[in-house]
Amino acid sequence: MRRSVRATARAVVFRSSSSPLSRGAGAGPAPRNHLRAWVHSATAAGDRFNAPPLRPDVVTIADIEERRARAGRLVAMTAAYSDSDMFKAPTTGKPKAKRLDHHLSVESTVREPCVLKQAAKHLKNPGLISLGGGLPCAEYFPFESLSMRVPQPPSFSEAATRVDGIDVRIGKYDVTDAASADASEYDLSIALNYGQANGSAQLTRFVTEHTELICNPPYADWRSCLTVGSTAALEQALRMLCDRQRHDAVLTEEYSFSTALETAAPLGVKVFGVRMDKEGLLPADLDAVLAGWDERARGARKPHVLYTVPSGQNPTGATQGEQRRRAIYQVAQKHDLYIIEDEPYYFLQMEPYGEGKGEKKKKKKDEEEGVEGFLRGLIPSLLSMDVDGRVMRMDSFSKVVVPGSRLGWITASEQMVERFIRHAEVCNQGPSGFSQVILHKLLDETWGHEGYIRWLMYLRGEYTKRRDVILAACEAHLLREVVSWNAPAAGMFHWLKVDHSLHPDAATRSILEIEEDIFNLCIDKGVLVGRGSWFRAEKDTAPTEMFFRATFAAATPENMTEAIRRFGLAIRESYRMEG
Amino acid sequence: MRRSVRATARAVVFRSSSSPLSRGAGAGPAPRNHLRAWVHSATAAGDRFNAPPLRPDVVTIADIEERRARAGRLVAMTAAYSDSDMFKAPTTGKPKAKRLDHHLSVESTVREPCVLKQAAKHLKNPGLISLGGGLPCAEYFPFESLSMRVPQPPSFSEAATRVDGIDVRIGKYDVTDAASADASEYDLSIALNYGQANGSAQLTRFVTEHTELICNPPYADWRSCLTVGSTAALEQALRMLCDRQRHDAVLTEEYSFSTALETAAPLGVKVFGVRMDKEGLLPADLDAVLAGWDERARGARKPHVLYTVPSGQNPTGATQGEQRRRAIYQVAQKHDLYIIEDEPYYFLQMEPYGEGKGEKKKKKKDEEEGVEGFLRGLIPSLLSMDVDGRVMRMDSFSKVVVPGSRLGWITASEQMVERFIRHAEVCNQGPSGFSQVILHKLLDETWGHEGYIRWLMYLRGEYTKRRDVILAACEAHLLREVVSWNAPAAGMFHWLKVDHSLHPDAATRSILEIEEDIFNLCIDKGVLVGRGSWFRAEKDTAPTEMFFRATFAAATPENMTEAIRRFGLAIRESYRMEG
């Protein structure tokens, strides 16, 4: 288990290593050799410290490690105030984000800070005794310790973990208990008490650094803030940006995540679709829809919000390439759109289908490209292009660690993140402390940034194999004259177009009726797929095409193949074709 | 560690013990002697099974154990649908709740079920392979197991837990792994995947049974549903009940929980205060406010929602007695009010100050009264009086287990709970799976209902001691001619009235100015207290009295005493009195 120890001088929640609060087993700057060898990327950290960075716009894992080592130990006690900015690299030379007051709803604009959370600022006074907040005493938390067994990078499989996983212990008073062999920067007494709604300093630091590694936004005043998952983050964002009384509307892909559509509808926010191809939404159509907006005909104000899933889009599996993203961003600038970039599948970007097949080749490729290569190979995010501060990126641990953590984060301009936190304070109050301390221990204190990236590389490889299984099954069991598809380049979903015009009842039955018939036949034959119509952004118009969504995330390879065979049988039966 | 094993025939998520899914180490009805002796209350469970219940309106722990034993093992796999009704005693003879459609907001009324969550109903088909939901495969969850050390009832202290706490392990596949010594009804593969927004069947069962023990609502179609804590539940309830465009308003105690006020304000919901005495809000004033409501003068529709904290009210510490609650409920019936009963401190009901002092006496009393006596001694909840179904009770584990679980539950009529769940599906999606599985293992599989009640008795005793410390400190260090108070009968807060009329500047400075002066002097002297004005329901009117709130939950006894001494010094200095 890696146990490095850090601090920074900038933040109220930090103490230098000479502070009495940072005494104990883990105190003082970490000797460099406490860090695992694999934590370092290309260059040796020792050399880097004196050498100027080669590309000042790229933050590396070594940069982060250097910053932490220089800063010393993070001391953030119960309900400590923290801010993503405390953990960022210097943003010298970057411009500030644009102010976007005109994008905010009335509800968001009038939010005031939570008076009791604000009072917590006095807690930093030395010697102050708080009779302020109603925080229970940790003495009454019935948890002496939590332990967990987790994979040892790079042996991430279940089998390997059973044999030589790492056992990690989280004690109640690890932070202050000098005698504890588990002395660390976060413990149960802190994590299980009330915290700030933006999340703990400990996990905020990790996601801030991770976001810097991956996206490094091109403006100065960006912030990351923990969320209880991207579904909740989207609802908060919509309430922040859209007003029922202003007749606000949102644009999205013509087929979009059904839960997102269901989130918007009760808020009185109309959703309109933008046409797509296999790289997702079409910038030209986005521009045309906005340029030709007719408020009366649409029954809504010209949209000022775009909701998009750029990688492995749900439900179509489409992935926007870099040029596509740049073109979308330009249209957003032209029409002053605010972009909600929902990226749960970002790290499940796969190699093109048919290339790099075979386990051995794959492994070899990962070794060759390494962590740096993997990071360089990711399609740049919209956030990384966001010179204006008009993107809110939503990240989530649901698809890449566990959905049950109910934990993710957003990254946006300080203005937007501050409004978002004001809302979180009076609703979910931030993510579960169990989730936070467990993810911190796993990602930060045990794996570190490089270990986590290696985990993501492992997952990418696993999902590539699964994608390949479902595509092979489709090739084997589906009639290409009726069913067509593109190979997904990311994510968990395979989108199957079924040519309704070839259906024997095409002249007499609607697409929705035929779709329902096929869906029911699928259930009869023992396979559950998603109906394309569930995902239509504009449900009050008639569909002109027919689709089904199949996930390759959940079933075993054998079951997936069998399920696609059953899907093929359902199609044949509905189309009254010979078996 | 207790490990009883159950099922019921009523629910889709249950399997009889002969089902292949319930094979394995823990399968089949539990032999009665697997249950710890202390799980049973007065009557031996064996005898009860054939004897008719003495009081059919009271549900006992033995009743619950009997129901579980009869039902067999609960089998609720990943994202299984469940409903609180599956776990209730028969409600024969009870009337159904009134329909309250007219209380719902537009936002709530138009909510549709989440199409992807609904599709999960097909998962119960035997042999069905799902390519439906984008649920990741548990194979990719990087947690082989979680373990925790928790107290062994009734030795709940930290010291006792260090010596002989119980070590509890939660494996990834405990439910299906026949070979596992940890076979149980809930495991990491289920808890850490996506679930239903109302929470897992496993923990829903526990809170439903617990609610039956404590409140046993007098109508048939009540439901409990997990929440991510009562702050979030309140926001969801307000969005469900109140409409900005309808100019809806909420009534509450004249001094109320500041976060609740801050939750309502941005929604455009005006809050009005009802006068209080030491037993909390005055039913006569509630009636008078409503009877004389003037829409134009108030700038709001006549309120149809009451938000109240009946026990250990925040900030005043006031506790409504049984007659007070009955009178409030009658006024609510008269004016068709919907009541949000927020009860985080319900179980921290204390003995009257001055009685039962001394550790030994206390312990003896607990032993004498036992679990049944403790339950009988609790002031009945508004929910237990709710013949109409016009109460939503909000419970929380924050004050009685850990705030960091971000987990609580609501109980209300089926109509209201269904609307509430529709919202949860598109925002927080229910509580963290880590929180759910950890609390299930602690409360259900390790402690059981009786162990949990004993824990609550322990906490009540601890908070009584703390309350007594702060009261003794006030008696020692505060001038009774200036500062007055009532002894709190529940909760975490002590409410101190400071007579502003005796202040030397009373004629020239406002109450708010004097309050600020005292607050700042407190900070200077090293004590943080809450300013009474933070909690005023109607902040746009001028206060006529001055208060400070002090919590006795957080600081050590020594620090609490010192803090009250400092508070006394601040008062003296502000009042320019001799030291």
Side-chain angles (χ1 to χ4, degrees):
Chain A
M1 180 175 153
R2 187 169 66 88
R3 185 169 303 119
S4 71
V5 166
R6 323 100 184 167
T8 157
R10 277 200 286 161
V12 296
V13 294
F14 288 77
R15 303 286 156 86
S16 78
S17 54
S18 60
S19 150
L21 270 171
S22 57
R23 73 185 182 282
R32 190 117 317 125
N33 58 10
H34 272 205
L35 307 172
R36 278 173 186 284
W38 52 261
V39 169
H40 295 283
S41 45
T43 336
D47 296 336
R48 276 199 70 88
F49 287 171
N50 301 315
L54 295 176
R55 286 187 54 195
D57 58 322
V58 174
V59 174
T60 66
I61 293 174
D63 295 335
I64 291 167
E65 291 298 334
E66 177 197 335
R67 206 187 316 146
R68 284 206 188 191
R70 213 167 31 207
R73 192 187 193 206
L74 169 61
V75 179
M77 306 303 285
T78 302
Y81 169 81
S82 76
D83 178 319
S84 171
D85 202 43
M86 297 169 176
F87 310 110
K88 284 159 60 184
T91 53
T92 331
K94 289 183 179 177
K96 285 192 95 175
K98 287 188 160 66
R99 295 282 305 178
L100 296 177
D101 302 68
H102 58 291
H103 277 317
L104 296 173
S105 65
V106 169
E107 174 181 314
S108 184
T109 303
V110 303
R111 288 195 179 280
E112 297 280 350
C114 205
V115 66
L116 291 174
K117 303 255 182 215
Q118 293 295 304
K121 68 170 183 258
H122 298 290
L123 298 178
K124 67 176 191 293
N125 295 13
L128 181 116
I129 303 171
S130 176
L131 306 180
L135 279 71
C137 183
E139 188 184 341
Y140 306 132
F141 296 171
F143 300 98
E144 161 82 6
S145 63
L146 277 184
S147 305
M148 57 193 192
R149 170 161 272 227
V150 298
Q152 163 99 56
S155 305
F156 290 112
S157 73
E158 286 188 326
T161 305
R162 272 191 295 271
V163 176
D164 62 4
I166 313 175
D167 291 306
V168 181
R169 184 179 179 279
I170 312 170
K172 201 181 206 176
Y173 300 111
D174 287 351
V175 171
T176 44
D177 187 355
S180 167
D182 298 291
S184 87
E185 295 179 326
Y186 201 19
D187 63 25
L188 297 184
S189 77
I190 299 168
L192 302 185
N193 216 322
Y194 285 103
Q196 297 291 324
N198 51 318
S200 65
Q202 289 84 353
L203 196 55
T204 299
R205 177 178 57 183
F206 185 85
V207 303
T208 300
E209 291 165 349
H210 177 74
T211 302
E212 228 168 22
L213 268 181
I214 306 301
C215 303
N216 200 10
Y219 62 95
D221 52 339
W222 63 271
R223 299 284 186 276
S224 294
C225 147
L226 301 190
T227 69
V228 302
S230 293
T231 304
L234 175 61
E235 204 215 25
Q236 283 181 245
L238 290 176
R239 294 198 190 271
M240 191 168 110
L241 294 162
C242 296
D243 236 314
R244 182 191 293 272
Q245 281 163 288
R246 204 163 59 185
H247 305 290
D248 282 346
V250 167
L251 293 174
T252 186
E253 287 88 356
E254 59 184 323
Y255 290 90
S256 182
F257 179 35
S258 57
T259 303
L261 303 172
E262 289 153 352
T263 303
L267 311 188
V269 177
K270 275 199 168 189
V271 181
F272 296 92
V274 177
R275 288 199 294 121
M276 312 172 72
D277 65 9
K278 69 176 182 175
E279 274 199 60
L281 72 78
L282 291 158
D285 192 55
L286 180 64
D287 188 28
V289 164
L290 286 163
W293 195 263
D294 179 339
E295 286 204 1
R296 194 160 306 174
R298 297 282 198 162
R301 202 165 74 109
K302 181 179 163 182
H304 68 111
V305 176
L306 170 69
Y307 169 75
T308 183
V309 180
S311 311
Q313 199 254 356
N314 187 351
T316 66
T319 298
Q320 299 165 6
E322 179 171 352
Q323 289 319 310
R324 176 65 57 96
R325 294 178 196 214
R326 295 202 183 279
I328 290 168
Y329 190 79
Q330 277 175 11
V331 178
Q333 288 184 302
K334 177 178 168 191
H335 292 281
D336 191 20
L337 280 181
Y338 194 82
I339 302 176
I340 301 173
E341 175 184 35
D342 186 7
E343 277 290 30
Y345 315 108
Y346 183 75
F347 291 102
L348 304 182
Q349 295 177 32
M350 301 160 186
E351 291 149 76
Y353 182 55
E355 291 177 30
K357 261 187 186 172
E359 182 63 350
K360 258 190 191 158
K361 251 190 189 164
K362 177 73 202 58
K363 225 173 181 163
K364 193 145 173 278
K365 187 161 180 294
D366 271 2
E367 273 158 29
E368 275 166 21
E369 84 175 338
V371 164
E372 296 275 337
F374 173 77
L375 295 178
R376 264 198 312 272
L378 294 168
I379 302 167
S381 62
L382 286 162
L383 179 65
S384 75
M385 306 166 181
D386 183 22
V387 290
D388 296 342
R390 60 172 68 255
V391 173
M392 175 182 290
R393 179 177 162 103
M394 306 197 313
D395 274 283
S396 166
F397 288 118
S398 289
K399 302 303 195 291
V400 289
V401 182
V402 286
S405 66
R406 300 282 80 230
L407 207 157
W409 72 99
I410 57 159
T411 307
S413 69
E414 182 181 18
Q415 178 184 23
M416 293 309 207
V417 170
E418 191 270 343
R419 291 289 89 192
F420 187 94
I421 295 170
R422 292 290 85 79
H423 185 191
E425 284 177 348
V426 293
C427 66
N428 53 60
Q429 291 204 56
S432 154
F434 286 114
S435 297
Q436 291 194 59
V437 75
I438 287 170
L439 288 191
H440 168 83
K441 278 281 166 173
L442 174 69
L443 301 179
D444 189 314
E445 293 195 26
T446 307
W447 285 356
H449 285 289
E450 184 163 327
Y452 181 48
I453 302 292
R454 288 200 183 276
W455 165 255
L456 296 172
M457 292 165 70
Y458 167 74
L459 276 189
R460 185 262 302 259
E462 293 293 304
Y463 278 94
T464 301
K465 283 190 268 175
R466 293 180 151 267
R467 188 261 328 254
D468 293 353
V469 167
I470 206 167
L471 288 174
C474 288
E475 284 163 11
H477 297 295
L478 302 182
L479 288 169
R480 293 304 297 248
E481 56 269 44
V482 178
V483 191
S484 57
W485 59 86
N486 297 306
M492 300 184 157
F493 298 110
H494 186 37
W495 187 237
L496 295 153
K497 180 173 176 176
V498 181
D499 188 338
H500 68 97
S501 70
L502 301 177
H503 197 279
D505 304 335
T508 56
R509 298 170 75 196
S510 71
I511 291 181
L512 286 179
E513 286 167 331
I514 295 171
E515 186 197 75
E516 186 174 10
D517 182 58
I518 295 172
F519 179 80
N520 289 335
L521 285 167
C522 284
I523 297 294
D524 290 349
K525 297 193 183 306
V527 55
L528 176 64
V529 292
R531 292 175 61 172
S533 62
W534 290 345
F535 304 95
R536 295 186 65 240
E538 299 179 35
K539 288 209 179 57
D540 50 355
T541 62
T544 56
E545 296 180 301
M546 183 165 68
F547 294 96
F548 291 89
R549 187 192 79 169
T551 178
F552 48 90
T556 61
E558 299 69 34
N559 278 350
M560 250 195 290
T561 304
E562 170 61 15
I564 291 294
R565 195 185 68 82
R566 294 176 187 176
F567 177 72
L569 292 178
I571 301 272
R572 280 169 201 265
E573 187 166 325
S574 179
Y575 278 67
R576 301 198 280 281
M577 289 168 146
E578 299 289 303
Chain B
M1 180 176 151
R2 190 169 66 89
R3 186 170 301 118
S4 71
V5 165
R6 321 99 186 170
T8 158
R10 279 199 287 162
V12 297
V13 294
F14 288 74
R15 301 287 157 84
S16 78
S17 53
S18 61
S19 151
L21 268 172
S22 56
R23 73 184 181 282
R32 191 118 320 125
N33 60 8
H34 271 204
L35 307 173
R36 277 174 187 281
W38 52 262
V39 170
H40 296 284
S41 45
T43 336
D47 295 338
R48 277 200 71 87
F49 286 172
N50 301 315
L54 295 177
R55 286 186 54 194
D57 58 321
V58 173
V59 174
T60 66
I61 292 173
D63 295 336
I64 291 167
E65 291 297 335
E66 177 197 336
R67 206 188 315 148
R68 286 207 188 189
R70 214 167 32 207
R73 191 187 193 206
L74 169 62
V75 179
M77 306 303 285
T78 302
Y81 170 81
S82 75
D83 178 320
S84 171
D85 203 43
M86 297 168 176
F87 311 110
K88 283 159 59 184
T91 52
T92 331
K94 287 182 179 177
K96 287 192 93 175
K98 287 188 160 67
R99 295 283 304 177
L100 295 176
D101 303 67
H102 58 290
H103 277 317
L104 296 173
S105 66
V106 169
E107 174 182 313
S108 184
T109 303
V110 303
R111 287 194 178 282
E112 298 280 351
C114 204
V115 67
L116 291 174
K117 303 256 181 212
Q118 294 293 307
K121 68 171 183 254
H122 298 290
L123 297 179
K124 68 177 190 289
N125 295 9
L128 180 117
I129 303 171
S130 177
L131 306 181
L135 278 69
C137 184
E139 188 183 340
Y140 306 131
F141 296 171
F143 300 97
E144 160 84 4
S145 63
L146 278 185
S147 306
M148 57 192 191
R149 170 162 272 226
V150 298
Q152 162 101 55
S155 304
F156 291 113
S157 73
E158 287 187 326
T161 305
R162 272 191 293 271
V163 176
D164 61 4
I166 312 175
D167 291 307
V168 181
R169 185 178 177 279
I170 311 170
K172 200 180 204 177
Y173 299 112
D174 288 350
V175 170
T176 44
D177 187 356
S180 168
D182 299 290
S184 87
E185 296 179 326
Y186 202 19
D187 64 25
L188 297 183
S189 78
I190 299 169
L192 301 186
N193 215 322
Y194 284 104
Q196 297 292 323
N198 51 318
S200 65
Q202 290 84 354
L203 196 56
T204 299
R205 176 178 59 182
F206 185 85
V207 304
T208 301
E209 293 165 349
H210 177 74
T211 302
E212 229 168 20
L213 268 181
I214 306 301
C215 303
N216 200 11
Y219 61 96
D221 53 337
W222 63 272
R223 298 284 187 277
S224 294
C225 147
L226 302 190
T227 69
V228 302
S230 294
T231 303
L234 176 62
E235 204 215 24
Q236 283 182 244
L238 291 177
R239 294 197 189 272
M240 191 167 112
L241 295 162
C242 297
D243 236 316
R244 181 190 294 271
Q245 281 163 288
R246 204 163 60 184
H247 304 290
D248 281 347
V250 167
L251 293 175
T252 187
E253 287 90 356
E254 60 184 320
Y255 290 90
S256 183
F257 179 36
S258 57
T259 304
L261 303 172
E262 289 154 352
T263 304
L267 312 188
V269 177
K270 274 201 169 188
V271 181
F272 296 92
V274 177
R275 288 199 293 121
M276 313 173 71
D277 65 9
K278 68 176 181 173
E279 274 200 60
L281 73 78
L282 290 159
D285 192 55
L286 179 64
D287 187 31
V289 165
L290 287 163
W293 194 263
D294 179 339
E295 286 205 2
R296 193 160 309 172
R298 297 282 200 162
R301 202 164 75 108
K302 182 179 162 182
H304 68 110
V305 176
L306 170 68
Y307 169 75
T308 183
V309 180
S311 311
Q313 199 253 359
N314 187 351
T316 66
T319 297
Q320 299 166 7
E322 179 173 351
Q323 289 319 309
R324 177 64 58 95
R325 294 180 197 212
R326 295 203 183 278
I328 290 168
Y329 190 78
Q330 277 175 11
V331 177
Q333 288 185 303
K334 177 178 167 189
H335 292 281
D336 191 19
L337 279 182
Y338 193 81
I339 302 176
I340 301 173
E341 176 184 35
D342 187 5
E343 276 289 31
Y345 315 108
Y346 183 74
F347 292 101
L348 304 181
Q349 295 178 31
M350 299 160 187
E351 291 150 74
Y353 182 55
E355 291 176 32
K357 262 187 184 173
E359 180 64 351
K360 260 190 189 159
K361 253 191 188 160
K362 178 72 203 58
K363 229 179 179 160
K364 194 145 173 274
K365 188 162 180 294
D366 271 3
E367 274 158 27
E368 275 166 21
E369 86 175 336
V371 165
E372 296 276 338
F374 172 77
L375 294 178
R376 265 197 312 273
L378 293 169
I379 302 168
S381 62
L382 286 162
L383 179 64
S384 75
M385 305 168 183
D386 182 21
V387 290
D388 296 342
R390 61 173 66 256
V391 172
M392 175 182 289
R393 179 176 160 104
M394 306 196 315
D395 274 284
S396 166
F397 288 118
S398 289
K399 302 303 195 293
V400 289
V401 182
V402 287
S405 67
R406 299 284 79 228
L407 207 158
W409 71 99
I410 57 157
T411 306
S413 70
E414 182 181 17
Q415 179 186 22
M416 293 309 205
V417 170
E418 191 271 342
R419 291 290 87 191
F420 188 94
I421 295 169
R422 292 292 84 80
H423 185 189
E425 283 176 350
V426 293
C427 65
N428 54 59
Q429 292 204 54
S432 154
F434 286 114
S435 297
Q436 290 194 60
V437 74
I438 287 170
L439 287 192
H440 168 83
K441 278 280 166 177
L442 174 68
L443 301 179
D444 189 313
E445 293 194 26
T446 307
W447 285 356
H449 284 289
E450 184 164 328
Y452 181 47
I453 302 293
R454 287 200 185 275
W455 165 256
L456 295 172
M457 292 165 70
Y458 166 75
L459 276 189
R460 186 262 300 259
E462 292 294 303
Y463 278 94
T464 301
K465 283 189 269 177
R466 292 179 151 267
R467 188 262 327 253
D468 294 353
V469 167
I470 207 168
L471 288 175
C474 288
E475 285 162 10
H477 296 297
L478 303 182
L479 288 168
R480 294 302 297 247
E481 56 269 43
V482 177
V483 191
S484 57
W485 60 84
N486 297 306
M492 298 183 158
F493 298 111
H494 186 37
W495 187 237
L496 295 153
K497 181 172 175 177
V498 181
D499 189 340
H500 67 96
S501 71
L502 300 177
H503 196 280
D505 304 335
T508 55
R509 297 170 76 196
S510 71
I511 292 181
L512 286 178
E513 286 168 330
I514 295 171
E515 187 199 74
E516 186 174 10
D517 183 55
I518 295 171
F519 178 81
N520 289 335
L521 285 168
C522 283
I523 296 294
D524 288 349
K525 297 194 183 304
V527 55
L528 176 64
V529 291
R531 292 175 61 172
S533 61
W534 289 346
F535 304 96
R536 294 186 67 240
E538 298 178 36
K539 288 208 180 58
D540 49 356
T541 62
T544 56
E545 298 180 300
M546 183 164 69
F547 295 96
F548 291 88
R549 188 192 79 170
T551 179
F552 47 89
T556 61
E558 299 69 36
N559 278 351
M560 251 195 288
T561 304
E562 170 61 15
I564 290 294
R565 196 185 68 83
R566 294 177 186 176
F567 176 71
L569 292 178
I571 301 272
R572 281 169 201 264
E573 186 165 327
S574 180
Y575 277 67
R576 301 199 281 282
M577 288 165 148
E578 298 290 301

